[in-house]
């Protein structure tokens, strides 16, 4: 199969759906998602809006990833570490690479890397530690 670049919403949808199918089955981090998300259809729609906005400038994402992840971190007693974020990222890179190739696909990987650092540091900032 000749790989193309991510160029429309259907591509983003394919990427997001394939990735979260894998996330849900992942032994190490799947339960964070499975125990939190009850309505997967609307979650996948929201995540498609998020990546559509990040990659193709759709500007239709309504959400707050920083607040959402602080809540997730609280819910799981601050046990999420860089290891879990690493697992997320490796799965994201693998999925992007398997499905697409090109400039936008590269941006999808770069943005995720950058965003994961921000999200993790933000979670850490809100933990009740003496720092
Ligand atoms: C181990 C790492 C991660 C875990 C365990 C995790 C977990 C979750 C969970 C459980 C939710 C649903 C929250 C809810 O509906 O209450 C969520 C939402 C979300 N996550 Fe993550 N996430 C991780 C990493 C990332 C990364 C690296 C990104 C982006 C590159 C990301 C982007 C998002 C977005 C956009 C939402 C929707 C936020 C909203 O509802 O406004 N996540 N995450």
């Amino acid at each position: 199969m000749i790989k193309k670049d991510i160029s429309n919403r259907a591509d983003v949808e394919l990427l997001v759906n394939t990735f979260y199918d894998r996330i849900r089955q992942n032994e190490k981090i799947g339960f964070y998602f499975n125990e939190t998300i009850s309505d997967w259809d609307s979650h996948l729609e929201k995540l498609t809006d998020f990546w559509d906005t990040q990659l193709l400038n759709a500007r239709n994402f309504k959400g707050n990833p920083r607040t959402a992840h602080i809540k997730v971190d609280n819910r799981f007693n601050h046990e999420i570490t860089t290891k879990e974020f690493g697992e997320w990222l490796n799965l994201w890179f693998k999925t992007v690479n398997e499905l697409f190739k090109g400039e936008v696909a590269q941006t999808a990987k770069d943005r995720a890397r950058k965003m994961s650092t921000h999200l993790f540091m933000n979670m850490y900032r809100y933990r009740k530690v003496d720092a």
Side-chain angles (χ1 to χ4, degrees):
M1 184 181 94
I2 297 171
K3 288 183 213 163
K4 65 178 204 86
D5 205 352
I6 300 166
S7 56
N8 54 45
R9 186 171 174 93
D11 293 339
V12 176
E13 204 164 33
L14 174 67
L15 173 59
V16 166
N17 288 352
T18 310
F19 175 68
Y20 282 98
D21 267 356
R22 291 173 178 183
I23 280 278
R24 290 168 81 171
Q25 291 170 44
N26 185 285
E27 290 180 346
K28 296 176 191 144
I29 59 171
F31 67 94
Y32 293 115
F33 299 84
N34 292 323
E35 289 180 22
T36 310
I37 298 157
S38 50
D39 181 352
W40 271 96
D41 285 347
S42 71
H43 188 70
L44 291 173
E45 192 71 22
K46 187 192 268 188
L47 268 291
T48 303
D49 288 346
F50 172 74
W51 284 108
D52 203 1
T53 299
Q54 289 288 327
L55 303 176
L56 304 172
N57 229 348
R59 298 188 191 203
N60 52 11
F61 174 65
K62 289 184 192 67
N64 189 333
R66 281 157 55 110
T67 319
H69 291 89
I70 290 167
K71 281 194 196 147
V72 175
D73 190 46
N74 286 337
R75 185 157 191 228
F76 291 96
N77 300 317
H78 315 294
E79 69 188 29
I80 301 171
T81 68
T82 47
K83 233 177 168 176
E84 282 70 34
F85 270 88
E87 188 73 18
W88 190 108
L89 274 181
N90 282 335
L91 203 54
W92 179 254
F93 297 155
K94 193 168 177 270
T95 311
V96 174
N97 289 341
E98 268 174 34
L99 295 172
F100 298 101
K101 193 182 167 116
E103 208 175 304
V104 184
Q106 187 58 48
T107 305
K109 292 181 275 181
D110 294 341
R111 288 273 165 93
R113 202 179 347 245
K114 208 167 163 183
M115 183 101 184
S116 74
T117 313
H118 284 294
L119 287 176
F120 182 72
M121 290 317 289
N122 190 59
M123 265 168 34
Y124 191 78
R125 191 172 150 225
Y126 283 90
R127 288 180 181 176
K128 291 188 175 45
V129 288
D130 294 327

